[in-house]
Amino acid sequence: MGRYLIRRLIQAIPVLLGATFLIYFLTFALGGDPVQALAGEKKADPIVAAMLREKYHLDDPFLVQYWNYLTGVLQGNLGETLNGRQVLDLITDAFPYTVNLALVAFAMEALVGVTAGIMAALRRGKFLDQLVLLSTLLVISIPVFVTGFVLQLLLGVELKELGFDFFPVSFNESDGFKAYLLPGFILASTSLAYVTRLTRTSLMETMRADYVRTAVAKGLPRRQVVVNHALRNALIPIVTFLGADLGSLMGGAVITENIFNINGIGGLIAQAIRLDQGTVLVGVVTLLVLVYLLANLIVDLLYAVLDPRIRYA
């Protein structure tokens, strides 16, 4: 196991370098002017603009700029914005909000999605199964921003008028955990539907396996057959999806965070694109790549827990 972990960590280095190089190249290729974006609608002062370009090496060739950024990252410095803020400080301020939102969404996705999928698989062809299939298809078909505004209106406004103030319309840190419930559900809605369908399909296929039929023929209780024999193997593709989706939840929170005015990573990405802050964008992407790599490593280790036949050398 130790050698496997070391090998995976070594493999993560070229992935991280490739991701940062690609996003830095795309940002450079867009050809935006961050100095003019900082000035807004007014024309940037030529003297100030020249000083900023010289200070931040904006006129250097692409490879020189990327090398300067990379050496800074190796020293723990993700760069600096044109207004003097450290990118690491911006990420540190925004990261906790996105992590809390992603964890709430992930918990809903895992608990509700897996439970609904198991119930649908065990009642195949019945009313509950048809209801799950119809509702998940409806959720997948509707864009997230539409779902967000509709639920914000129904649960945040209409219920509040009836005296049920459980879902704040706008994010307020003083509301605590309650502030993350509605945006967390909206962020998880599409993935939750996919997890439900994947769980249903995977468990139905596992229930038709020979070893499950043997367990049924031996007279074991249905609950024991499902929990001890079928479910553990059925969870392997689900764990794979959940692990990959954890990074997607953090990176895909742009729409949800804007709807509920959450100052997280999604809002930071939107602001960086609007102001041509390539350094901020690359720093955030670097962080998200690390989250993806860590999530995938945890998923691979969980395989051995779910299936004892899997061993890593």
Side-chain angles (χ1 to χ4, degrees):
M1 182 68 74
R3 286 184 298 175
Y4 174 77
L5 289 176
I6 294 175
R7 188 165 65 249
R8 287 296 301 269
L9 292 176
I10 295 175
Q11 292 173 352
I13 296 176
V15 174
L16 186 61
L17 291 175
T20 55
F21 180 84
L22 181 60
I23 191 64
Y24 209 100
F25 173 76
L26 293 175
T27 304
F28 185 87
L30 290 177
D33 188 356
V35 177
Q36 181 57 47
L38 183 65
E41 296 181 357
K42 299 180 180 179
K43 182 176 177 59
D45 184 87
I47 299 178
V48 175
M51 292 176 57
L52 289 174
R53 289 192 175 93
E54 181 180 0
K55 178 181 179 181
Y56 294 102
H57 308 284
L58 297 179
D59 292 330
D60 290 345
F62 163 71
L63 291 178
V64 175
Q65 292 189 38
Y66 177 71
W67 176 254
N68 292 334
Y69 171 78
L70 197 60
T71 53
V73 170
L74 295 177
Q75 298 173 5
N77 180 17
L78 294 179
E80 183 180 339
T81 63
L82 296 184
N83 54 12
R85 291 289 306 277
Q86 291 292 325
V87 175
L88 185 59
D89 293 337
L90 293 175
I91 294 177
T92 302
D93 293 339
F95 193 63
Y97 298 107
T98 301
V99 169
N100 291 336
L101 180 61
L103 289 178
V104 171
F106 184 81
M108 292 182 178
E109 176 184 339
L111 296 177
V112 179
V114 172
T115 302
I118 292 174
M119 295 174 63
L122 297 179
R123 293 166 177 80
R124 179 183 179 185
K126 297 183 179 179
F127 173 76
L128 180 61
D129 183 28
Q130 299 299 322
L131 179 63
V132 168
L133 290 176
L134 180 62
S135 59
T136 52
L137 179 62
L138 183 64
V139 171
I140 294 172
S141 303
I142 300 177
V144 174
F145 66 89
V146 175
T147 305
F149 284 120
V150 170
L151 291 182
Q152 193 178 43
L153 175 63
L154 294 178
L155 300 181
V157 178
E158 298 296 337
L159 278 183
K160 187 175 181 179
E161 294 179 355
L162 298 177
F164 300 97
D165 189 14
F166 297 125
F167 305 103
V169 175
S170 182
F171 178 81
N172 190 339
E173 194 172 357
S174 61
D175 291 328
F177 176 74
K178 184 172 68 173
Y180 293 98
L181 288 177
L182 187 55
F185 176 77
I186 293 170
L187 179 61
S189 58
T190 303
S191 297
L192 190 152
Y194 283 121
V195 168
T196 302
R197 285 175 164 261
L198 181 60
T199 304
R200 175 184 178 273
T201 302
S202 180
L203 184 57
M204 286 170 52
E205 291 179 354
T206 307
M207 291 293 291
R208 292 195 292 266
D210 291 339
Y211 68 91
V212 174
R213 294 178 180 176
T214 302
V216 174
K218 291 168 58 178
L220 295 179
R222 180 178 176 83
R223 179 184 297 272
Q224 185 176 350
V225 171
V226 173
V227 175
N228 296 342
H229 294 77
L231 188 57
R232 289 183 63 177
N233 285 335
L235 284 176
I236 291 179
I238 301 164
V239 169
T240 304
F241 180 88
L242 290 174
D245 197 54
L246 181 59
S248 301
L249 290 175
M250 295 188 62
V254 178
I255 297 176
T256 306
E257 289 184 356
N258 276 276
I259 292 175
F260 289 91
N261 196 27
I262 301 175
N263 297 320
I265 293 296
L268 192 60
I269 292 175
Q271 183 183 18
I273 295 174
R274 186 170 60 252
L275 299 179
D276 289 328
Q277 295 178 339
T279 307
V280 177
L281 192 59
V282 176
V284 173
V285 171
T286 302
L287 175 66
L288 294 178
V289 170
L290 289 174
V291 172
Y292 268 108
L293 294 175
L294 180 60
N296 286 331
L297 178 59
I298 294 174
V299 166
D300 289 343
L301 296 179
L302 284 177
Y303 286 161
V305 177
L306 295 173
D307 191 345
R309 296 171 298 177
I310 300 177
R311 289 292 180 267
Y312 297 112

